[in-house]
Amino acid sequence: MFNVEDRAVLILQDGTTLFGKSAGYIGSSVGEICFNTGMTGYQEIFTDPSYYGQIMVMTNAHIGNYGYSDVEIESNSIKISALVCKDFNFHNSRYRSIGDLQEYFKKEKIVCIYDIDTRALVSYIRDKGAMNAIIGSNNLDIQTLKSKLNKVPSMEGLELSSFVSTKQAYTLGDETSSYRVSVIDFGVKKSILTCLEKRGVFIKVFPLSSSLNDIYDFQPTGIFLSNGPGDPSVMSHSISVVETILKSDIPVFGICLGHQLMALAGGLKTFKMHTGHRGINHPIINLRTQKCEVTSQNHGFSIDENSLLENKHIKITHRNLNDNSIEGIEFVNKKCFSVQYHPESSPGPHDSRYLFDQFVKNMNDYINSNSGKN
């Protein structure tokens, strides 16, 4: 049986040390500490490949109260490195739950520390900025844990997508569809593929290491650049592939990391944010319609606006209403656009799912413009 007196410790890179209780797998885990302000959808967050290599702090007080299911997953395993929360529920109440979070974390070997004042911790991280951290529940020796933490590389300059990208290409959807999309998988969420599939798209998902020949052999009518973890600026192969794709007239749609790679391929720069945007209630403005959209977000890097000043080929389409950062771009005279946030919204509001319809419309225009050509 679980002993509620079992202890755990959280140590931040700057030496801040917090003690709490342990749940899940007994061991230690390292990663960049970040926080998500969503009030629901914890399983989708835990299984989002974009969170690979990160220790997650949930600001919602109650985690695990509705257990876990085999439906609300965004990949085939939990991708966060570890969890920090206030109240960890060892029992749950929901009709479609298939188990408690405790057994889920133990099965996936995920370390958790709870009984932490997460409001105070989030305020501290917001002030000090993103940093690495370590959680230990099998060894509470502070010096040993600090020594292990000091060996962890910074997220800035770290390539992580290769750890979560598919190893083999696979297809989804209706093979007879006119819309054929090559998805370059940097850590794609299942809900993104579902949003494309529901619009009648035939999809082939490619590993990020795929060549241009592989991607074009599918005879796509559109190319999708997925979300994913890590620093986009060090992904030279992917940037080169996207740069070549952007020289063609094929429609392109990018989300999150895919958005950043499109920007880099277009000659812009990215930077590491102070804390990033993570949650399901981030307001953005569509500069074309002047309408506000409440969005789901998860990113620690963003486009450097100074690099856009002399670029006449890319224009901003969406901005964040909290900090005015760039949330969307499009390439002038091309059917290529991208957004920093997550329009598939899993979890989150559905305000931005029209972007998938826009992508399909772009493909339809592309098909019509190329009909009759050999």
Side-chain angles (χ1 to χ4, degrees):
M1 289 291 294
F2 175 78
N3 181 358
V4 295
E5 296 304 316
D6 285 349
R7 304 294 287 173
V9 62
L10 166 67
I11 305 173
L12 305 187
Q13 191 75 59
D14 65 0
T16 300
T17 302
L18 301 172
F19 288 92
K21 297 174 182 178
S22 68
Y25 184 72
I26 302 302
S28 64
S29 188
V30 298
E32 181 185 68
I33 194 163
C34 65
F35 56 88
N36 189 295
T37 58
M39 295 296 288
T40 187
Y42 58 73
Q43 191 179 354
E44 293 95 324
I45 292 166
F46 298 161
T47 56
D48 180 350
S50 293
Y51 282 122
Y52 183 85
Q54 292 180 306
I55 294 175
M56 175 55 60
V57 182
M58 297 298 296
T59 60
N60 187 22
H62 302 287
I63 300 300
N65 51 319
Y66 56 83
Y68 75 100
S69 77
D70 53 3
V71 176
E72 294 154 347
I73 55 173
E74 293 299 331
S75 65
N76 59 3
S77 64
I78 296 178
K79 293 299 190 294
I80 60 170
S81 291
L83 175 68
V84 182
C85 64
K86 173 60 178 170
D87 295 320
F88 187 94
N89 291 263
F90 290 88
H91 304 286
N92 75 91
S93 176
R94 190 172 60 149
Y95 75 96
R96 69 177 182 186
S97 168
I98 61 173
D100 296 324
L101 207 56
Q102 170 71 353
E103 68 176 72
Y104 190 33
F105 272 29
K106 290 181 74 172
K107 180 178 68 174
E108 298 271 337
K109 297 186 177 180
I110 301 298
V111 176
C112 172
I113 182 171
Y114 73 102
D115 203 21
I116 294 292
D117 185 346
T118 51
R119 292 183 66 170
L121 177 58
V122 167
S123 294
Y124 187 81
I125 297 170
R126 277 181 171 157
D127 181 44
K128 300 296 183 180
M131 67 183 85
N132 287 333
I134 186 169
I135 296 174
S137 58
N138 62 335
N139 183 349
L140 303 188
D141 183 78
I142 303 301
Q143 293 307 314
T144 299
L145 292 171
K146 282 185 176 180
S147 177
K148 186 175 180 179
L149 175 59
N150 289 335
K151 297 176 183 178
V152 181
S154 168
M155 183 67 74
E156 190 167 9
L158 209 56
E159 188 282 305
L160 295 175
S161 286
S162 57
F163 293 96
V164 294
S165 176
T166 183
K167 304 306 178 188
Q168 299 289 333
Y170 61 93
T171 60
L172 296 166
D174 180 7
E175 293 185 29
T176 65
S177 175
S178 300
Y179 307 119
R180 301 171 63 89
V181 172
S182 291
V183 174
I184 305 180
D185 178 13
F186 304 112
V188 70
K189 292 173 67 176
K190 287 187 176 181
S191 292
I192 290 175
L193 300 178
T194 299
C195 283
L196 291 171
E197 210 175 344
K198 284 184 175 179
R199 286 160 175 80
V201 175
F202 183 44
I203 305 161
K204 187 166 187 178
V205 183
F206 290 89
L208 66 83
S209 59
S210 300
S211 68
L212 276 170
N213 286 339
D214 293 333
I215 293 164
Y216 280 120
D217 278 349
F218 183 59
Q219 297 181 319
T221 58
I223 293 176
F224 181 84
L225 310 175
S226 86
N227 62 294
D231 186 343
S233 67
V234 299
M235 300 174 66
S236 54
H237 168 76
S238 298
I239 294 169
S240 177
V241 167
V242 176
E243 186 176 2
T244 304
I245 290 171
L246 291 173
K247 291 176 181 177
S248 70
D249 60 349
I250 192 168
V252 183
F253 180 19
I255 287 176
C256 195
L257 181 64
H259 159 80
Q260 296 158 7
L261 291 170
M262 279 183 68
L264 290 164
L268 306 185
K269 295 179 180 179
T270 56
F271 69 97
K272 183 80 168 65
M273 302 176 75
H274 184 64
T275 57
H277 298 154
R278 298 176 180 92
I280 59 176
N281 62 344
H282 290 257
I284 63 99
I285 185 168
N286 182 322
L287 298 177
R288 180 178 290 109
T289 65
Q290 291 299 305
K291 290 183 178 179
C292 173
E293 301 167 23
V294 181
T295 65
S296 177
Q297 302 210 4
N298 170 18
H299 62 103
F301 293 83
S302 186
I303 294 175
D304 180 356
E305 186 152 354
N306 290 328
S307 66
L308 190 58
L309 295 178
E310 296 183 3
N311 191 306
K312 306 298 182 184
H313 306 292
I314 299 174
K315 67 178 182 179
I316 301 170
T317 58
H318 300 77
R319 282 193 180 277
N320 190 293
L321 287 172
N322 287 329
D323 61 11
N324 205 42
S325 59
I326 298 171
E327 292 282 3
I329 60 173
E330 67 179 5
F331 285 69
V332 177
N333 298 324
K334 286 184 175 291
K335 296 188 181 300
C336 302
F337 69 97
S338 62
V339 291
Q340 182 61 77
Y341 51 96
H342 282 257
E344 82 287 347
S345 56
S346 182
H350 296 179
D351 297 23
S352 304
R353 287 196 174 180
Y354 68 88
L355 292 168
F356 291 99
D357 298 322
Q358 181 179 330
F359 183 43
V360 170
K361 181 183 182 303
N362 287 349
M363 286 193 287
N364 192 60
D365 292 343
Y366 172 77
I367 293 168
N368 290 335
S369 66
N370 285 276
S371 61
K373 294 182 180 180
N374 294 323

